[in-house]
Amino acid sequence: MVRALCATCKVERALIKRPKNYQKLCKVCFIKIFEDEVHHTITSSGLFRRGERIAIGASGGKDSTVLASLLKTLNDRHDYGLNLVLLSIDEGIKGYRDDSLDTVKRNALQYDMPLKIVGYDELYGWTMDQVVATIGKRGNCTYCGVFRRQALDRGAKMLGIQHVVTGHNADDVAETVMMNLLRGDLPRLSRGTSIVTGSQTSEVKRSKPLKYAYEKEIVLYAHHKKLDYFSTECLYSPEAFRGSARSLIKNLEKVRPSAILDIVRSGEDMARLVPGNTTDACHCTGADGPAEEEMTGCGSQNGRSSGSEMARMEAQLVQTGDPKNSGANEVEVYSSGSVVLPMRQSKGKRSAPKKAVAKQTLGKCERCGYMSSQAICKACMLLEDLNKNRPHIEI
Amino acid sequence: METTDARSPNDQPAPTCKRCNEAAATIKMRAETACRPCFAHFIAGKIVKRMEVLNRETKLPTSETRTMLLGLSFGASSSAMVYVLHQNSRRHEIKKRRGGVIEYIVAHIDTSLSPAPSESEALIEKYKTRFSPFPTSVIPLRNILQLQNTVDWSGLPTLNPDLASEPDKQLEDMFSRLPSTTSRADILRIFVRHLLIGEAVRRQCSTLLLGHTTTALAETTLSEAAKGRGFAVPWLVADGNIPVSSALAEKEEKYAVSEAQTRTFMPIYYPMREVFRKEVILYNKSITPPLTDLVPDDPSGAGGKGAVVSHKSLSIEEVMGRYFEEVEENYPSIVANVVRTTAKLNRLGMDDGGEGNECGLCGLGLDETGDERWRGEIGDEEANIETSRPLCYGCERSLRG
């Protein structure tokens, strides 16, 4: 069987079918195109400035390893003039973090970058294993996500760095868009797709240079570049909405590979449709509450989950007496067959201007001084709950 | 929250329905159990309530006769809509209520593309009999060829001139050359919508009513987002006025439902928007005589069951249909919440600038800001499809694959 030639160089044999558009490429051309596309994303959105110190949020997984390798390559090739540092968070999950941190340590040597590791235990007094032992496996991703976001920012601050890049890819962003639609979460929908988050007023900004890169291509890139990454998934399952959105997206990708990017595009456009959101989605807004991580998911691949979060929201929707939902508040229908309409209906979709979605105003947490839209930041709230339940150990 | 039949042979005698205090409560209906007649009243009430909202929002002079076009797909939901409005209009007649008369016209778009008398013709006769005196008609899909100015054909696979004498075959041939199941389903959906709006304009209707359930609207939200048409979702899911292309409106000079300076609008409403798909299916069985013989099995394939032969042969709508079948079963309030949330989004892109600002294929607003930004961030990796009128991102995507 004669193999087709690479669609780009037309010399080498095509070995790779690009997951994104089924283009047939040779290894060298694939790597080149993948790098060029990320370079385009970086330059077109003006992500970095010369001399900037950048902390790469490194978990040892494929996304952040590819990001670190890629940024090193592009920084050298295009002379970005960036000062790159690896920043790792030790959540304290035995059998997952220990090994992946070893990977990050090797990466630091391979890419000749300084490495800083910040532990949940030193930041919060709790490791994730201890959290799970206390609250069970249900909903622990919320804790992990909230803690990690702060941890990365705090770690960056310790290093005096104002810009953290993370390995979130197109699949993650698409997943977030679908998840926010399912949850009916307009504030998050209005900012979840931004390439840069964290407000201008906040001390640390975040960006996702791999926002348009397909997860499958990241895996291919890591494979063909023979990158050293850690491929075991997080032991704890993802939150149900995310898990559900994830499996939906995988099915959509099978039907039409472009669907992932199309969802990202839809998400960006829909962000501008959220009432009260006048800012362009590509730039950060002041409303970006820091404690509310728009990417709470971790790198876990499977959509397996208990479904409890969805069930809880379902129960809540029924209970909160949303008039359209709960049977108790329905339009009363009597046996005579006559229908008595409610006296006043204020929920009509009249042409009146839509109410702006409640925005958060940025302040500081009373306890830890970390940026928060609430008096007490999410992490401190979660910690308070945890500490209440912590058994008192007397020596 | 189940809406399934709660009766089972081994169960104890069912409790009395709390609504009528007479019959046995045999149907689990959202938060309570009710008897069949009360369940049917409950569902009909949901639809009637949306009609009240429509009447209030469209603010039409009540002295005039208003004509509304009912889009009928022969699916469970649109059939139930016709049934409820038929019942309701009879009651209006008997009561001789104040205010204007509403007349309903039923239109089915026959997508079978066969010149022989199709299944639709036979079915529509049953509808005519059962829902007399509603005027009921079948519009063949080939009529889209006559809406030359509504659809920009230049981006679609060329219509084979050799087949010009057989428009059905010509269309079939064009569809077969579209790149994927998803794009065929997408273009078909767009054509059906154009034909329904066109028919509503042609027959000088004041409103077009579509039978999407809560479940169907949630599916539309997510599948249009998955097809890159997020920007247009509010135009496809919320109730309200849709600008009608002037090409259509000019043909009918008398047509002036609500003229807003330069644009003509057609209100499109979804009276079934607060009912779940599974409830409609149960409702159709609960009424006497049931609607079952009027609804062929799963005509659209949406929410389709059955084994998946290959994922690639499915359309995005079908994937979404399967997904929501499951979500509706376990988390119906989440489905309803998706629709409620989407209804809060602003409709942009069509309210200003007048003509020429809509996509040449789907007719919905173009998103220039979004297009420009996207080109900037992604880069021009694919050559533009040459069309005489610009296309929206979603339609371009549909022509590619």
Side-chain angles (χ1 to χ4, degrees), chain B residues 345-384:
Chain B
L345 294 172
N346 286 325
R347 292 175 153 197
L348 296 183
M350 290 182 90
D351 40 358
D352 52 346
E355 289 285 328
N357 200 28
E358 24 350 76
C359 166
L361 205 44
C362 68
L364 295 169
L366 291 171
D367 176 18
E368 278 153 21
T369 323
D371 287 341
E372 199 179 311
R373 220 164 54 83
W374 191 253
R375 269 195 298 275
E377 289 192 5
I378 294 290
D380 263 327
E381 42 183 34
E382 291 165 306
N384 277 344

Side-chain angles (χ1 to χ4, degrees), chain A residues 61-344:
Chain A
K62 59 178 175 22
D63 298 303
S64 58
T65 304
V66 164
L67 181 63
S69 157
L70 199 56
L71 282 184
K72 176 164 178 65
T73 307
L74 294 177
N75 192 26
D76 294 347
R77 182 184 301 159
H78 299 286
D79 190 25
Y80 290 162
L82 299 178
N83 186 347
L84 301 168
V85 176
L86 291 173
L87 175 59
S88 276
I89 304 302
D90 186 356
E91 294 93 341
I93 305 176
K94 277 226 158 43
Y96 167 69
R97 233 357 148 211
D98 308 345
D99 300 342
S100 62
L101 282 177
D102 288 343
T103 315
V104 180
K105 285 172 193 158
R106 285 198 303 275
N107 289 158
L109 296 175
Q110 288 153 2
Y111 307 139
D112 188 24
M113 290 180 196
L115 166 66
K116 167 84 186 166
I117 299 176
V118 190
Y120 274 12
D121 48 354
E122 58 182 295
L123 282 174
Y124 306 106
W126 287 82
T127 65
M128 269 317 284
D129 282 339
Q130 289 168 336
V131 170
V132 172
T134 310
I135 63 148
K137 291 195 175 185
R138 171 186 292 186
N140 63 74
C141 280
T142 311
Y143 288 82
C144 198
V146 169
F147 286 174
R148 179 160 31 174
R149 171 150 184 135
Q150 277 209 10
L152 272 177
D153 285 16
R154 287 170 185 213
K157 243 193 261 179
M158 281 181 205
L159 296 167
I161 293 179
Q162 274 134 35
H163 190 165
V164 177
V165 291
T166 55
H168 291 111
N169 56 41
D171 297 50
D172 295 330
V173 177
E175 203 174 281
T176 305
V177 171
M178 285 306 196
M179 189 174 80
N180 288 334
L181 283 174
L182 279 175
R183 282 202 301 217
D185 192 336
L186 288 182
R188 277 198 183 83
L189 184 67
S190 76
R191 58 172 198 257
T193 50
S194 311
I195 191 160
V196 180
T197 54
S199 80
Q200 275 131 359
T201 54
S202 83
E203 289 160 84
V204 180
K205 76 168 172 178
R206 300 251 187 153
S207 61
K208 323 186 248 285
L210 298 181
K211 180 188 167 188
Y212 297 111
Y214 274 50
E215 183 174 59
K216 285 182 178 171
E217 302 205 349
I218 289 172
V219 175
L220 277 177
Y221 183 83
H223 172 77
H224 288 291
K225 289 273 282 187
K226 299 195 170 57
L227 299 184
D228 180 8
Y229 68 93
F230 185 74
S231 56
T232 299
E233 299 165 10
C234 174
L235 304 168
Y236 306 126
S237 57
E239 192 265 347
F241 275 104
R242 184 167 288 281
S244 179
R246 183 171 296 173
S247 54
L248 173 63
I249 276 165
K250 297 294 170 210
N251 285 335
L252 292 171
E253 187 189 10
K254 279 179 210 151
V255 169
R256 189 192 253 182
S258 71
I260 288 177
L261 270 186
D262 297 343
I263 293 168
V264 175
R265 164 76 199 245
S266 284
E268 291 183 356
D269 293 343
M270 289 173 98
R272 286 179 291 131
L273 305 180
V274 174
N277 189 21
T278 48
T279 45
D280 197 299
C282 74
H283 289 297
C284 40
T285 74
D288 199 2
E292 286 170 313
E293 172 65 278
E294 68 276 9
M295 293 287 187
T296 38
C298 43
S300 177
Q301 296 306 295
N302 293 334
R304 65 197 136 75
S305 71
S306 58
S308 61
E309 294 84 0
M310 288 177 90
R312 221 176 307 149
M313 175 164 167
E314 172 72 24
Q316 205 180 350
L317 282 169
V318 173
Q319 229 181 32
T320 48
D322 189 308
K324 288 182 199 166
N325 258 301
S326 113
N329 297 337
E330 288 303 345
V331 175
E332 287 304 313
V333 180
Y334 297 97
S335 49
S336 64
S338 63
V339 173
V340 180
L341 294 170
M343 291 299 286
R344 196 165 47 85

